[in-house]
Amino acid sequence: MTPLPVVSSPPAAGRGRARWHRSVNLLPIAYLAAIAAVSIVHPLLPQWRWLLVHLLLLGAAGNAILIWTTHFAAAVLRVPADPRRAEATRLVLLNLGIGGVLAAGTVGTGWLGVTGSLAIFIAVLAHLWALATRLRRSLPARFAVTVHYYLAAAIAVLVGVPVGGWMLVDSAHRDRLVLFHAHVNLLGWVTLTVLGTLLTLWPTVLRTRMAGSTVPAAIVALPLAVSGLVQLGIGLLAWWPTMAVLGLVLFAAAVVAVAAPAVAVAWRRPPSSFAAWSIAAGLGWLLVALVWDVRLLAAADAGIARDGFHTVLSPLLVGFVGQVLIGALAHLLPMALGGGPSAVRANAAALDRYGPQRVVTANLALAIFLMPVGAYVRITASLLVLGTLLQFLLAALRLLVAARVPRVAPPPAAATGPHRVGQPWRGVSAGLVLVLVAVLAGTIAERAAGPTVPDASPAAANIGRTSTVAVAIRGMRYHPDRIEVPRGDRLIIEVVNDDDRDHDLVLATGPRTPRIRRGAAVRLDAGVVDTAIDGWCSLPGHRQQGMVLTVVPIDAAAPAGPREIPRNPEEHGDVQSD
């Protein structure tokens, strides 16, 4: 059996390591708690989606990466751990930078965001230097390729962070920069780190031997992943969709190459713990998201690809990053806290509790959320995912708090063995029931809400001129979201829903559309436009997410008879007058 890599140390050092991990692992736990809090109050936050993404990637995942890659690098290279003061300095600098970036994104202070990004850059650069120094000074090691994955991941984020700042000053290429920033950070910083860590972590979680092909596969996959990431980045910045797609396919091939030995190991020793199933489900969602992303990047326009990228973010962030992070913490925390074999088994059993129910609930609810279902069903599904996060957070916090109190008696026999999760089919059944109840509740709420309005709007007085504007719904936005129309014209809005969920359009003056299904189109008579009119989507939470538009009257001398307004779809809408 391949043991979890640890650095040999005397008992006093082991106790110091436990105190260290008890303290620093509160950081990712705290960011996960912040994610839960923001999810609850998100209708009150205008930038809640951006905030959730960065709380997870920068906060929870970023801290976990710095903490555990430092630990695993020392373990696989069999070198002494870094001085705690140096590691603590990097973590402090990282979190000061994260605080600046989050504050800037929330209140819109640009200089604070630039300063925070610089602090994050310096922290990751120092981490990269520490890893490279440790690798250079170590003797040849069988699992040294793990550290090469960490180095590549750190270089990727050092490229991705400055592009995030570039987006603030280059609006002309913002769509390409957003796609580059998201892909390099998600696939480079997070995914490469996960692939390198699974080399030794996965067989340890399964309590079995590593497959003989694991290390060779990892060695072959790393250059494949890096070359694919470079090609993907160039294709996104230049917006050569074919090149970007080929780069993404290369990266996906590297993921499959690393996953193949892991699947072979799991076939021999099936997962039985919450940690194992959570990590396995996360890798499954990664493959789903990569296939989804290939289709998305085949779009002819970077704006269309960016608008649709939110459909890839949910499986990537919630399905992959969130589940792998929580699964890894569920396995690593009990072992890092130590206390002897009985304490480790008891702590692992505490984090395993209700494991089958959590895995089934989270993954089925996420799958339903991604389907073209009604708004209320999506709400109940998202609440289930949030509930599983809260279940883990409460268990992890109890564990970290209890670890401060020394055990005076061995745990009861029923709690020994992290993989004895009781009767898993009870948990699976409970998860299925929870999902069914949530779908039923959302469906009932959907029917109770009923259609918004059976037809468009009451006809307005026609003064002889009518302007028609085409508005498309994509990526939780109206395109365009500002419509200019000559004052006194009667306005007809043709709304086409190109998004993957239902929407509507409500005007402050009263007219509104019925609920528009995916791919459907309706005409809305907005009446005569004499003053500015605000519009929004009335479905729960959609207005708070930015689904708003404005109709603005313009004063212009109008010739008699039919006329056509010059078109500028990006700024003024696709408008015609007759």
Side-chain angles (χ1 to χ4, degrees):
M1 182 176 67
T2 304
L4 178 73
V6 292
V7 180
S8 300
S9 56
R15 289 192 295 270
R17 185 172 61 247
R19 286 195 298 271
W20 167 258
H21 282 286
R22 186 170 59 239
S23 300
V24 296
N25 279 288
L26 282 172
L27 292 169
I29 297 296
Y31 280 105
L32 289 174
I35 289 171
V38 171
S39 299
I40 294 171
V41 302
H42 75 270
L44 305 177
L45 303 173
Q47 298 293 334
W48 68 271
R49 187 186 296 273
W50 181 93
L51 192 58
L52 286 176
V53 170
H54 289 79
L55 281 172
L56 178 58
L57 292 182
L58 282 181
N63 277 279
I65 287 173
L66 254 65
I67 293 166
W68 288 105
T69 56
T70 299
H71 171 81
F72 274 92
V76 300
L77 297 176
R78 300 186 180 279
V79 296
D82 268 1
R84 294 302 188 197
R85 180 173 297 178
E87 192 174 350
T89 300
R90 294 195 293 268
L91 288 172
V92 168
L93 190 59
L94 174 72
N95 285 279
L96 287 176
I98 292 172
V101 170
L102 295 179
T106 304
V107 302
T109 307
W111 67 266
L112 194 56
V114 173
T115 304
S117 298
L118 180 61
I120 294 171
F121 186 92
I122 295 173
V124 176
L125 184 62
H127 177 67
L128 173 65
W129 179 263
L131 290 176
T133 302
R134 188 176 285 180
L135 180 64
R136 187 175 64 251
R137 294 177 179 175
S138 67
L139 296 174
R142 181 187 179 193
F143 302 124
V145 66
T146 293
V147 184
H148 290 281
Y149 273 86
Y150 297 162
L151 294 174
I155 293 172
V157 78
L158 290 178
V159 175
V161 167
V163 172
W166 186 4
M167 293 187 303
L168 301 176
V169 296
D170 187 353
S171 58
H173 302 95
R174 184 173 177 82
D175 294 330
R176 303 179 187 184
L177 296 177
V178 168
L179 289 171
F180 179 92
H181 176 73
H183 282 87
V184 168
N185 287 338
L186 266 169
L187 301 184
W189 174 233
V190 178
T191 307
L192 286 179
T193 301
V194 169
L195 295 179
T197 302
L198 288 180
L199 180 69
T200 53
L201 180 64
W202 181 242
T204 305
V205 171
L206 294 181
R207 304 280 179 174
T208 189
R209 293 184 180 277
M210 180 184 296
S213 60
T214 300
V215 175
I219 293 174
V220 171
L222 179 57
L224 193 64
V226 171
S227 60
L229 196 61
V230 170
Q231 185 171 325
L232 171 63
I234 294 173
L236 290 175
L237 285 180
W239 192 245
W240 296 329
T242 302
M243 185 176 185
V245 168
L246 290 177
L248 190 59
V249 169
L250 280 179
F251 190 90
V255 173
V256 172
V258 173
V263 172
V265 170
W267 184 264
R268 186 174 66 242
R269 180 68 177 262
S272 58
S273 66
F274 166 73
W277 278 114
S278 185
I279 293 172
L283 292 176
W285 279 112
L286 171 62
L287 293 174
V288 169
L290 290 176
V291 173
W292 208 326
D293 203 13
V294 166
R295 295 181 56 192
L296 180 69
L297 294 185
D301 181 73
I304 296 175
R306 180 197 169 187
D307 288 340
F309 190 63
H310 72 278
T311 61
V312 179
L313 272 180
S314 294
L316 268 179
L317 294 178
V318 181
F320 168 56
V321 178
Q323 287 200 102
V324 169
L325 175 61
I326 289 174
L329 288 176
H331 176 78
L332 293 171
L333 279 179
M335 304 192 76
L337 295 177
S342 61
V344 171
R345 286 194 297 270
N347 290 337
L351 293 180
D352 259 5
R353 191 167 295 125
Y354 309 118
Q357 172 261 308
R358 283 186 279 159
V359 172
V360 170
T361 302
N363 286 279
L364 280 182
L366 177 58
I368 290 171
F369 181 86
L370 295 173
M371 293 178 182
V373 295
Y376 290 93
V377 175
R378 295 171 69 90
I379 290 173
T380 54
S382 62
L383 289 176
L384 281 185
V385 176
L386 176 60
T388 60
L389 171 60
L390 292 174
Q391 282 181 291
F392 170 78
L393 285 176
L394 292 175
L397 287 173
R398 282 197 299 265
L399 181 64
L400 291 171
V401 171
R404 297 179 179 273
V405 182
R407 294 183 181 272
V408 296
T416 60
H419 303 284
R420 297 177 186 175
V421 291
Q423 300 181 15
W425 286 109
R426 287 187 178 180
V428 172
S429 300
L432 290 172
V433 169
L434 285 173
V435 173
L436 289 174
V437 169
V439 172
L440 180 61
T443 303
I444 292 174
E446 198 87 25
R447 292 183 177 180
T452 48
V453 170
D455 48 31
S457 63
N462 190 347
I463 64 171
R465 235 178 237 112
T466 300
S467 295
T468 302
V469 56
V471 173
I473 302 176
R474 296 191 306 268
M476 297 294 289
R477 293 291 187 274
Y478 296 108
H479 300 272
D481 58 7
R482 176 184 172 89
I483 303 169
E484 292 185 359
V485 61
R487 189 183 302 274
D489 274 21
R490 177 181 178 181
L491 175 63
I492 302 295
I493 305 177
E494 296 179 344
V495 188
V496 180
N497 186 6
D498 293 330
D499 203 6
D500 61 347
R501 64 197 77 183
D502 295 353
H503 296 289
D504 64 10
L505 174 60
V506 177
L507 299 181
T509 50
R512 59 193 301 165
T513 70
R515 180 169 298 177
I516 311 171
R517 302 293 181 182
R518 179 181 181 181
V522 299
R523 288 171 61 90
L524 174 64
D525 187 344
V528 175
V529 178
D530 289 319
T531 60
I533 304 172
D534 291 329
W536 61 86
C537 180
S538 69
L539 273 67
H542 288 202
R543 184 179 184 180
Q544 290 77 8
Q545 295 180 45
M547 289 201 67
V548 295
L549 63 75
T550 305
V551 178
V552 179
I554 56 174
D555 294 309
R563 60 192 174 84
E564 182 174 309
I565 298 176
R567 299 189 179 192
N568 189 346
E570 292 299 321
E571 297 182 2
H572 308 298
D574 187 11
V575 183
Q576 285 184 306
S577 292
D578 49 78

